[in-house]
Amino acid sequence: MTTTLTPPVTPAPRKLVKRRPSATTTQDRLVALGCAVSATLLTWFVLHLLVDSPGWLADLIVAFLLYLSMLYLVTRDRLGRLAAMDRIVHTIVVSGALGLLIPLLFLLSYIVFKGAPYLRWGFFTHDMSTVAPTDPATATGGLHAVVGTLQQTALTLVFVVPLGVLTAVFLNETRSRFRRPVRIMVDAMSGLPSIVAGLFVYAALIIPGIQAGVGLFSYNGLMATLALTMVMLPTVTRTVDVVLRLVPDGLREASLALGASRARTVWSVVLPTARTGVTTAVILGIARVAGETAPLLFTSFGALGMNANPFSDPQESIPLFVYRFIKQPLENVQQRGYVGALVLILLIFTLFAIARVVGRDRSKRKAKKVKKRETR
């Protein structure tokens, strides 16, 4: 009797489905949710039942690390090492963004909650010279602070825009051996604390000016402008420097080949091409100095009444307005500080919105207009 051996039946190979590592499906979301629940329960079991937890921060760190470990192991078993690493990096980046966004939203919500109920149109129509400390917070006047901030910022632009643009042009369009020292100086000034700028103006100009009896070199808006210039100049210079680097070299070479001088090329070709970026740099520089308080404590000094002359006598600004009232013990006075903080945040948000509008790409819109003209 003979027996025939049948070969074992091998299962058909599983068909692989192509997918991008960053693509997610419903199953991937359920896996992430399961890993999060498992990590939370395991953290609670270990840190609260087996040992005593040091606090909520330790629970959060341990749960997050366990979540990453579980997510990596499960994703690697399902999709492979590449997709697992991509998922881990994506989770870390999103968690970091949320970690920064949540405190920012909490801060903004707190300021809005504290200041919005007491913000009235009268804040922009009168100053604090006729407002008593016992008056309600709705009687707050901040016209003098708004005028001071606008004047000091405008004077700062008068100094910063020519110096910043010329310095950026020098760093990009020349071959001088002094470019490297100037670039190092600009980078070093970018990390200069703002209070140091105020102390420098106070020690170098205000103290000698008061001793000599020179009214221009005393507590006024001009001294605040000089301190803000030291803070704003590196920001504008570095931003314009980056923008000028983005201008194609072909435009410069074409202009020089047509016989234009290098100065004419910079003025007629490079700067018009980078006009949007330069405008964005200026607006970002304004937003950089609009909320500075430390240099103003030693320069403009602040005042409760209107002073529309930045070259004489102390002058108020919105950051000083906030600092002046927020440290007082009376609740209604502190509420005035929150109102000023809300106005300052709205001002900075407006500047950033303008920067986004001015700096947006208009090439697609121009291309659409050209196509419409051609079709006509």
Side-chain angles (χ1 to χ4, degrees), residues 50-121:
L50 299 182
V51 297
D52 293 332
S53 175
W56 65 269
L57 182 59
D59 296 345
L60 182 62
I61 294 175
V62 173
F64 184 71
L65 294 177
L66 288 175
Y67 170 74
L68 292 179
S69 303
M70 294 179 182
L71 183 63
Y72 175 79
L73 294 176
V74 175
T75 307
R76 182 174 182 177
D77 181 68
R78 293 178 55 247
L79 303 175
R81 181 175 177 273
L82 179 61
M85 290 301 300
D86 182 83
R87 197 62 50 78
I88 292 300
V89 173
H90 176 76
T91 303
I92 293 176
V93 171
V94 172
S95 301
L98 291 177
L100 295 176
L101 183 62
I102 292 175
L104 178 61
L105 292 178
F106 174 77
L107 175 62
L108 295 178
S109 302
Y110 182 79
I111 296 298
V112 172
F113 176 77
K114 287 285 190 178
Y118 308 101
L119 180 60
R120 300 292 186 273
W121 181 250

Side-chain angles (χ1 to χ4, degrees), residues 301-323:
F301 200 71
L304 294 177
M306 171 64 71
N307 179 18
N309 183 8
F311 303 101
S312 177
D313 299 328
Q315 190 178 46
E316 185 78 339
S317 60
I318 299 180
L320 281 180
F321 181 91
V322 176
Y323 176 78

Side-chain angles (χ1 to χ4, degrees), residues 147-159:
V147 170
T149 297
L150 294 178
Q151 287 185 345
Q152 293 168 18
T153 305
L155 287 176
T156 304
L157 288 178
V158 173
F159 291 106

Side-chain angles (χ1 to χ4, degrees), residues 68-306:
L68 292 179
S69 303
M70 294 179 182
L71 183 63
Y72 175 79
L73 294 176
V74 175
T75 307
R76 182 174 182 177
D77 181 68
R78 293 178 55 247
L79 303 175
R81 181 175 177 273
L82 179 61
M85 290 301 300
D86 182 83
R87 197 62 50 78
I88 292 300
V89 173
H90 176 76
T91 303
I92 293 176
V93 171
V94 172
S95 301
L98 291 177
L100 295 176
L101 183 62
I102 292 175
L104 178 61
L105 292 178
F106 174 77
L107 175 62
L108 295 178
S109 302
Y110 182 79
I111 296 298
V112 172
F113 176 77
K114 287 285 190 178
Y118 308 101
L119 180 60
R120 300 292 186 273
W121 181 250
F123 183 90
F124 305 97
T125 58
H126 64 274
D127 55 23
M128 291 293 297
S129 59
T130 59
V131 179
T134 56
D135 290 343
T138 54
T140 305
L143 177 62
H144 60 307
V146 175
V147 170
T149 297
L150 294 178
Q151 287 185 345
Q152 293 168 18
T153 305
L155 287 176
T156 304
L157 288 178
V158 173
F159 291 106
V160 168
V161 172
L163 292 176
V165 173
L166 289 177
T167 304
V169 170
F170 172 78
L171 295 176
N172 281 275
E173 307 299 329
T174 65
R175 299 294 180 265
S176 174
R177 60 181 178 179
F178 296 105
R179 288 192 308 160
R180 183 176 179 82
V182 172
R183 191 180 298 276
I184 294 175
M185 183 63 65
V186 172
D187 294 337
M189 288 182 63
S190 300
L192 181 71
S194 58
I195 192 172
V196 175
L199 287 173
F200 174 78
V201 175
Y202 175 76
L205 298 177
I206 295 179
I207 292 180
I210 293 176
Q211 294 176 350
V214 181
L216 185 62
F217 296 101
S218 61
Y219 297 109
N220 53 49
L222 178 61
M223 297 296 103
T225 298
L226 297 179
L228 295 178
T229 299
M230 299 175 61
V231 177
M232 183 179 176
L233 182 59
T235 301
V236 175
T237 301
R238 295 185 65 181
T239 308
V240 176
D241 182 18
V242 173
V243 171
L244 294 182
R245 292 183 189 178
L246 300 178
V247 177
D249 291 334
L251 297 178
R252 299 180 177 89
E253 295 171 357
S255 176
L256 295 174
L258 291 174
S261 62
R262 185 170 293 274
R264 185 68 177 178
T265 299
V266 172
W267 180 257
S268 301
V269 177
V270 176
L271 290 180
T273 305
R275 179 176 61 249
T276 302
V278 173
T279 305
T280 304
V282 172
I283 296 176
L284 292 177
I286 295 174
R288 169 69 176 85
V289 301
E292 287 292 343
T293 306
L296 307 181
L297 296 173
F298 303 94
T299 53
S300 62
F301 200 71
L304 294 177
M306 171 64 71

Side-chain angles (χ1 to χ4, degrees), residues 342-360:
L342 177 60
V343 173
L344 181 60
I345 289 176
L346 294 177
L347 175 62
I348 295 177
F349 274 9
T350 303
L351 294 175
F352 273 104
I354 294 174
R356 294 289 295 179
V357 172
V358 174
R360 71 179 186 271

